[in-house]
Amino acid sequence: MSVATTGSRKIFSLPAVTPSTSVDPVSLIDVLSLLADDVLALRGAAFPVHRKCAREALRQVVVIREFLADVVAEGLPASASVGLAELYVALQKLGHLLRDLVRPGARLWVLVHSDRASNDFRALFRSVATALDVLPVDAASPEVMELVQLVSEQAWKAEGGTLPSDALAARSVWSALALFKNGIEPDPIDLNDLMEHLQIRSWSDCSEEIAFLEDLFFDCEEKEAALIGSLEALMAYCRATLFEAGDDKKSIGGNQFKALHRPVNHVNLDDLRCPISLELMFDPVTIATGQTYDRASISKWLKSGCLTCPVTGKKLADTTLVSNYAVQHLVEQLCASKNLSFPDPNSKQKRDGSKTATPPSPAAAGAMKMAAAFLVRKLASPTNLEQSRAAFEIRKLSKSNVFNRACLVEAGAVPWLLHLSSSPDSSTQDNAVAALLNLSKHQSGARAIMEVGGLSLVVDIIRLAFKVEAQQNAAGILFYLSSVEEYRAEIGSLPEAIPLLVELMREGSYRGKKNAVVTIFGLSLCSSNKVKILEAGAVPALMALLSGQERGDLANDSMAVLAKIAEHPDGTAKILSCDGAISRLVEFFRSTGTSRSGRESCVSALLSLCVNGGAEVVELLRRMPVVMPPLYSMVTEGSPQAGKKARSLLNRIHEA
């Protein structure tokens, strides 16, 4: 029998395990003691909401712990198990509820659900009182039993209601949402008072709230989406207008802001390694003790039943994992500087971005439009620090929310961000280009970049950027622009555009190479660009990526571009002019690291080479029997189109 843990429990769900009737009182006393200690570990926590109820609950648990320490378990009758079992269930639920009150990022959510928490407290106080009433009166010393009886009486009387200050703060939330809905900006003093009540005192605190609400939004039922989205927009507005991500005096976010722009060569690499696996932390999370671990490693540790911090050895009162974006960004910078692949930690749990395409409520729409207007005004500030902070905030708001991007574009962010992309300050440039990348993913953002003549500025960033990240993000912007058919010819018409992308394929970071490759693919769909791509030396660069250190997605994307180039005789000639071209393609086709789409692209390329290159190419393939088994597999297991091409290629080889 063990103490129940929170794990990934949904907030305000209070699951509890009921002890078996066969469990003896001695065992129950032992596990109850552990459970009480677990709850009492929260005594030092700050309770922004329901302070009175939390203090009362902890006071009750203190007395229960005294009883458990004083009782002579061996002398208890078997009937005592009933009361102890009731107490065990009540303490589990009480622990869950108290942890919910201090759950990172959940302060606003708890506030607007004060009535629910009040009802839960009221019910649990009654459960505790009932359990205490049925305990044997002579189970412990007279002094302790007298204290237990007193607590029982008080527990029956405890109201568990919402404090007037909490009720007032909750009303201010609804008032702010009503103002947003009507297009009116709330009084900053009122919002400051609300934040202070919730003990949200920094940019990081706001970010924590937004992250929690965002997780809720993507996992919620449709009926809850409007409220969650409105609260998330409220916090986003507060973060943008009340806090600054670089002000150390009032924001922990200042440390994160600085970490995002700290030269990676000044960072101790051991600090970026997980203390458990000793590997770089691609998905770093921080636990209750303040220590940071890789999510996979610490999750495995906790699931194995180890409820202590591996570094400090302290018992964890809360097993919540909070993403550490500052460390994640430093690791990403390190990978970029070392030309290493940086895996996407969310690749297995991609969210449906279409859920953010429209505002979840009128209040959310109003809040985000006002936040966007505020930030654009900040972009126009005469001070570089204000501009950089505004660009950083836009970068965050537009990272994954489609409607936020539309609001920022509509507010006029694009011209200012383009202006800041040529800033002499590297951090300002970095934030501006990253924000532009996010906005270019929206149709209106791409259109705005082109309409204000921003294309040449984006191309210049690839050549002149201070940081590798800005360079690769600029290539990413070109990719999203090249996905619009009408812009492909205009991009290709810039003399430096395609040559710079090819140079990035050769010398860039992993992300830079990948962005350049997919952009070249988009540009190759325009007939006027094909000759320019060949003249810029794209084919040798793409062939090098097939067999270089960077395999996986980058090699598969390169193969897709080569397949497109091979469709035309000039492209075929360029590919065949590379040393051992056919052998290298066959090697790629047979490699276990090649994806299904990569193999299908390779079959397409080989068929085009045979069609345009003639009998000489077919004869080369006929002399490579190792290509036959995977081709037969493609006929039976590939897509209909790929199977058809594989069959055609096999026929040509057999007829040679």
Side-chain angles (χ1 to χ4, degrees):
M1 190 170 174
S2 62
V3 178
T5 59
T6 57
S8 57
R9 175 181 57 83
K10 187 176 180 181
I11 192 167
F12 289 137
S13 64
L14 307 177
V17 177
T18 302
S20 169
T21 54
S22 62
V23 178
D24 62 275
V26 175
S27 299
L28 275 174
I29 291 291
D30 290 341
V31 76
L32 271 169
S33 298
L34 293 174
L35 185 55
D37 288 340
D38 198 36
V39 175
L40 291 177
L42 296 169
R43 277 186 292 183
F47 292 92
V49 184
H50 281 293
R51 297 181 187 88
K52 184 178 179 181
C53 287
R55 285 197 297 267
E56 172 61 24
L58 289 169
R59 190 178 70 86
Q60 292 178 17
V61 179
V62 167
V63 174
I64 291 169
R65 186 65 183 90
E66 289 185 21
F67 165 79
L68 295 171
D70 191 67
V71 69
V72 181
E74 288 79 3
L76 288 176
S79 58
S81 295
V82 176
L84 295 174
E86 288 291 329
L87 199 56
Y88 180 73
V89 171
L91 285 188
Q92 288 179 77
K93 293 185 176 183
L94 202 54
H96 289 324
L97 184 55
L98 289 172
R99 289 187 187 87
D100 285 342
L101 297 189
V102 296
R103 183 178 289 201
R107 303 173 198 185
L108 183 60
W109 186 250
V110 170
L111 178 66
V112 298
H113 290 84
S114 292
D115 289 343
R116 177 172 180 175
S118 294
N119 291 335
D120 286 339
F121 270 121
R122 192 177 296 112
L124 290 173
F125 289 159
R126 302 296 182 269
S127 297
V128 169
T130 300
L132 294 178
D133 283 348
V134 298
L135 291 176
V137 293
D138 57 349
S141 66
E143 294 81 4
V144 172
M145 288 311 300
E146 182 179 349
L147 188 58
V148 168
Q149 290 170 7
L150 177 62
V151 168
S152 175
E153 292 173 4
Q154 292 175 344
W156 279 113
K157 297 176 182 178
E159 292 296 329
T162 301
L163 286 172
S165 58
D166 289 341
L168 180 63
R171 284 198 296 272
S172 70
V173 172
W174 301 118
S175 175
L177 295 182
L179 290 172
F180 285 137
K181 180 179 178 180
N182 293 315
I184 303 171
E185 292 186 0
D187 190 329
I189 296 177
D190 293 338
L191 293 180
N192 266 314
D193 289 343
L194 173 61
M195 296 297 103
E196 183 60 32
H197 179 83
L198 293 173
Q199 299 178 21
I200 297 173
R201 295 164 179 156
S202 71
W203 186 93
S204 287
D205 288 343
C206 270
S207 297
E208 205 169 52
E209 297 285 314
I210 292 170
F212 174 81
L213 292 166
E214 187 178 64
D215 287 342
L216 278 186
F217 181 76
F218 280 101
D219 294 334
C220 74
E221 297 179 8
E222 188 174 349
K223 62 182 180 181
E224 295 180 301
L227 174 60
I228 298 171
S230 298
L231 296 177
E232 183 183 348
L234 168 61
M235 290 310 306
Y237 178 85
C238 289
R239 188 179 71 178
T241 60
L242 301 181
F243 302 103
E244 294 175 340
D247 190 348
D248 289 333
K249 293 181 180 178
K250 69 174 183 177
S251 175
I252 300 172
N255 295 332
Q256 182 190 34
F257 182 84
K258 287 184 175 181
L260 287 172
H261 307 292
R262 186 186 307 157
V264 74
N265 57 334
H266 292 161
V267 176
N268 185 346
L269 295 188
D270 288 340
D271 292 338
L272 303 181
R273 298 184 186 278
C274 175
I276 298 174
S277 67
L278 302 181
E279 300 292 337
L280 286 177
M281 295 182 285
F282 294 113
D283 189 10
V285 293
T286 300
I287 62 174
T289 59
Q291 297 295 323
T292 299
Y293 302 91
D294 191 73
R295 186 185 298 275
S297 297
I298 191 63
S299 296
K300 186 176 180 180
W301 171 274
L302 295 173
K303 287 179 181 177
S304 69
C306 299
L307 300 179
T308 57
C309 173
V311 170
T312 65
K314 293 181 179 178
K315 186 174 182 180
L316 297 176
D318 184 1
T319 56
T320 301
L321 306 179
V322 180
S323 296
N324 190 324
Y325 296 112
V327 171
Q328 184 180 27
H329 196 87
L330 286 172
V331 175
E332 186 173 357
Q333 279 188 307
L334 174 67
C335 290
S337 69
K338 301 294 184 182
N339 208 24
L340 301 173
S341 169
F342 182 83
D344 183 357
N346 299 313
S347 59
K348 295 182 180 179
Q349 45 183 355
K350 290 291 185 183
R351 288 169 168 171
D352 181 11
S354 64
K355 194 170 183 178
T356 66
T358 56
S361 70
M368 189 44 58
K369 288 178 180 178
M370 292 177 198
F374 176 88
L375 290 170
V376 171
R377 291 195 297 271
K378 286 287 187 180
L379 289 177
S381 169
T383 67
N384 180 70
L385 182 59
E386 288 291 309
Q387 293 174 330
S388 186
R389 285 170 170 169
F392 179 72
E393 189 65 41
I394 290 173
R395 174 182 185 174
K396 290 294 182 183
L397 286 175
S398 59
K399 185 174 183 179
S400 58
N401 191 295
V402 178
F403 179 71
N404 289 0
R405 294 170 188 161
C407 289
L408 289 160
V409 173
E410 185 180 348
V414 168
W416 283 107
L417 291 171
L418 284 168
H419 171 69
L420 295 177
S421 69
S422 56
S423 169
D425 179 73
S426 61
S427 294
T428 301
Q429 181 190 66
D430 192 27
N431 287 322
V433 176
L436 280 170
L437 172 61
N438 293 338
L439 298 184
S440 70
K441 298 174 184 178
H442 196 279
Q443 184 179 8
S444 65
R447 184 168 58 249
I449 291 172
M450 298 299 289
E451 287 179 351
V452 300
L455 178 58
S456 59
L457 286 173
V458 174
V459 172
D460 284 343
I461 295 167
I462 298 178
R463 181 168 53 90
L464 303 172
F466 292 109
K467 295 183 178 181
V468 170
E469 185 177 10
Q471 182 187 56
Q472 61 197 23
N473 284 341
I477 295 171
L478 288 185
F479 164 67
Y480 287 105
L481 294 177
S482 69
S483 65
V484 181
E485 184 177 359
E486 60 188 280
Y487 300 152
R488 290 167 187 159
E490 189 172 348
I491 296 171
S493 68
L494 290 178
E496 292 184 317
I498 292 175
L500 281 173
L501 288 169
V502 172
E503 181 64 23
L504 192 58
M505 284 196 297
R506 293 196 193 99
E507 305 295 339
S509 65
Y510 179 88
R511 264 188 62 198
K513 290 179 179 179
K514 184 171 175 61
N515 288 345
V517 168
V518 294
T519 303
I520 288 290
F521 180 84
L523 295 177
S524 71
L525 300 177
C526 174
S527 58
S528 63
N529 289 330
K530 291 171 182 175
V531 173
K532 298 173 184 176
I533 291 172
L534 296 178
E535 291 178 346
V539 170
L542 291 165
M543 291 294 291
L545 292 176
L546 292 183
S547 54
Q549 294 180 350
E550 305 94 346
R551 299 302 295 266
D553 288 345
L554 182 54
N556 293 324
D557 291 338
S558 300
M559 190 68 252
V561 181
L562 287 169
K564 192 67 183 174
I565 289 174
E567 292 177 359
H568 301 276
D570 289 344
T572 291
K574 282 287 185 181
I575 293 173
L576 293 177
S577 68
C578 296
D579 291 339
I582 299 300
S583 297
R584 290 157 73 180
L585 292 180
V586 170
E587 180 185 353
F588 174 83
F589 184 54
R590 296 177 59 238
S591 172
T592 56
T594 302
S595 68
R596 174 174 170 173
S597 63
R599 287 192 176 89
E600 292 184 354
S601 295
C602 193
V603 166
S604 179
L606 289 171
L607 180 59
S608 295
L609 292 175
C610 287
V611 172
N612 296 324
E616 184 179 348
V617 177
V618 178
E619 179 61 22
L620 283 173
L621 286 173
R622 190 185 68 79
R623 294 176 184 175
M624 298 180 184
V626 292
V627 77
M628 304 305 280
L631 278 177
Y632 283 118
S633 296
M634 184 68 69
V635 171
T636 58
E637 300 174 7
S639 66
Q641 186 177 11
K644 183 178 179 180
K645 290 182 178 181
R647 193 178 299 110
S648 177
L649 185 56
L650 283 167
N651 290 337
R652 286 177 178 271
I653 294 172
H654 287 311
E655 292 170 1

